[in-house]
Amino acid sequence: MASRYLDRIPAGYGDDMANHLDHPSMYGAMDKLGASGYPRRQRKRMNLVSMALALFGPWLLFVAVFAAMSFSLHYQSPEGAYFIAGVSMLLVLTLGYFAVISLRNGTATEVGHGANWYIFIFLTALLAWCLGVAFGDVNFTRNMQPYYDMTNLNVYPAVDVTRMRGQQLMDAGRMVFMPRSQLDLRYAMSFRNTEMYCVAPVARREANGSVPRLLNYDFWAVGINCCSGDGSDFHCGQAYDDKQARGGLRLMRDSQRPFFRLAVQQALAAYNLKATHPIFLHWVADPILAMKEYEENGFKSLLLGMFSHFSLQLCLVA
């Protein structure tokens, strides 16, 4: 009986279906599946997204942390800078958590054609955070903190070393001395404590070019490792022998001040000088421009750090 019904089936019945199965492209979807069953375009798109995150994610983290640790936020509100650094570290730890989960579930290699992007992004983000905190703090200490300190201090445009005393300029950040002021290198001195701390007093020459001995020397130009053991060849800064230079930037690093004070005490004893309240400064031609150099160096350090880290991240991703 079954053969009776089979005889009634038209010849060629089912060939179209077979053709469809033989040519799945007629359905418009099956040819888009790869061997793993995932759409090929989606796999490629996921790979590009992962690479973009791996390239720009850690770099943006580095820039944010570096900027927070370098500039005015760190100076005006250190807690705010450390809060941003802490939140950034929580983000890094979150990436590490997902990296561990991906390893446990065996899904770490499903994205990026075998590349373990979870672990890679976590490790490079951790490196970016460490570099941002370290170099940002160094940039703040060397460049931006002295700049902000001097900005907040007073400006004295006509300092006469023959009449004024250090007590009168306790809040001085930038000083412009009277015409004919210069460094008196005859009384330069140094003090060694691992490094050489060099000092030379500020004096004022007469109209005939002679430099008289003052009753009191309260203004001292300073520098590190720019003189010999007895300080006789003082050459600190670019304007130490410039007769037209008459500007000073206040020494802002408290850790160096005791060693310069010891150098001044040695000079007082060696040359029989007097200093009531010594003020330490960097001798410059223009204190305004010299102060701006601190700010410019701070922003240059940021740009250099951004470029260097992006280059490093690009090499790691590649």
Side-chain angles (χ1 to χ4, degrees), residues 222-266:
V222 299
I224 296 180
N225 298 326
C226 48
C227 64
S228 62
D230 59 357
S232 58
D233 61 341
F234 184 95
H235 54 276
C236 302
Q238 299 180 352
Y240 72 96
D241 59 348
D242 186 355
K243 295 297 190 292
Q244 302 301 320
R246 52 191 181 95
L249 285 181
R250 185 77 169 264
L251 174 70
M252 305 308 302
R253 297 186 182 180
D254 294 335
S255 60
Q256 299 175 351
R257 192 170 290 112
F259 302 109
F260 288 124
R261 184 172 290 109
L262 291 173
V264 170
Q265 291 177 0
Q266 288 189 170

Side-chain angles (χ1 to χ4, degrees), residues 50-64:
S50 300
M51 293 181 64
L53 289 175
L55 177 61
F56 292 103
W59 178 68
L60 292 175
L61 178 69
F62 169 82
V63 174

Side-chain angles (χ1 to χ4, degrees), residues 160-163 178-184 186 202-215 217 243-244:
D160 188 350
V161 296
T162 63
R163 299 181 179 181
M178 296 291 290
R180 300 199 309 273
S181 297
Q182 68 176 66
L183 299 184
D184 195 342
R186 297 174 301 174
V202 181
R204 190 181 182 194
R205 64 182 179 273
E206 300 288 352
N208 58 10
S210 63
V211 182
R213 184 185 178 98
L214 301 181
L215 298 177
Y217 290 91
K243 295 297 190 292
Q244 302 301 320

Side-chain angles (χ1 to χ4, degrees), residues 31-44:
D31 63 325
K32 298 180 181 178
L33 298 179
S36 61
Y38 290 97
R40 290 180 181 141
R41 293 182 181 177
Q42 183 179 358
R43 170 67 68 83
K44 186 176 182 180

Side-chain angles (χ1 to χ4, degrees), residues 60-72:
L60 292 175
L61 178 69
F62 169 82
V63 174
V65 174
F66 189 103
M69 296 299 297
S70 290
F71 299 109
S72 59

Side-chain angles (χ1 to χ4, degrees), residues 142 146-147 150 172-177 183 197-200 202 219-226 234-240 245-254 256-257 260 279-291 293-294:
R142 291 184 177 180
Y147 170 75
M150 285 183 286
R174 289 157 287 173
M175 292 162 278
V176 177
F177 293 87
L183 299 184
Y197 294 85
C198 310
V199 297
V202 181
F219 302 93
W220 294 77
V222 299
I224 296 180
N225 298 326
C226 48
F234 184 95
H235 54 276
C236 302
Q238 299 180 352
Y240 72 96
R246 52 191 181 95
L249 285 181
R250 185 77 169 264
L251 174 70
M252 305 308 302
R253 297 186 182 180
D254 294 335
Q256 299 175 351
R257 192 170 290 112
F260 288 124
I279 289 182
F280 305 114
L281 52 92
H282 298 286
W283 190 252
V284 296
D286 189 332
I288 305 299
L289 293 179
M291 188 187 71
E293 287 183 3
Y294 282 98

Side-chain angles (χ1 to χ4, degrees), residues 59-129:
W59 178 68
L60 292 175
L61 178 69
F62 169 82
V63 174
V65 174
F66 189 103
M69 296 299 297
S70 290
F71 299 109
S72 59
L73 179 64
H74 191 177
Y75 186 81
Q76 298 174 357
S77 177
E79 299 81 4
Y82 291 120
F83 175 78
I84 292 178
V87 171
S88 301
M89 174 52 70
L90 289 178
L91 177 61
V92 174
L93 295 178
T94 302
L95 294 174
Y97 170 78
F98 284 111
V100 173
I101 294 299
S102 68
L103 287 176
R104 289 181 177 179
N105 296 338
T107 60
T109 59
E110 290 183 2
V111 180
H113 295 295
N116 196 331
W117 293 113
Y118 293 103
I119 297 295
F120 178 83
I121 294 176
F122 164 66
L123 293 178
T124 54
L126 180 62
L127 176 63
W129 186 89

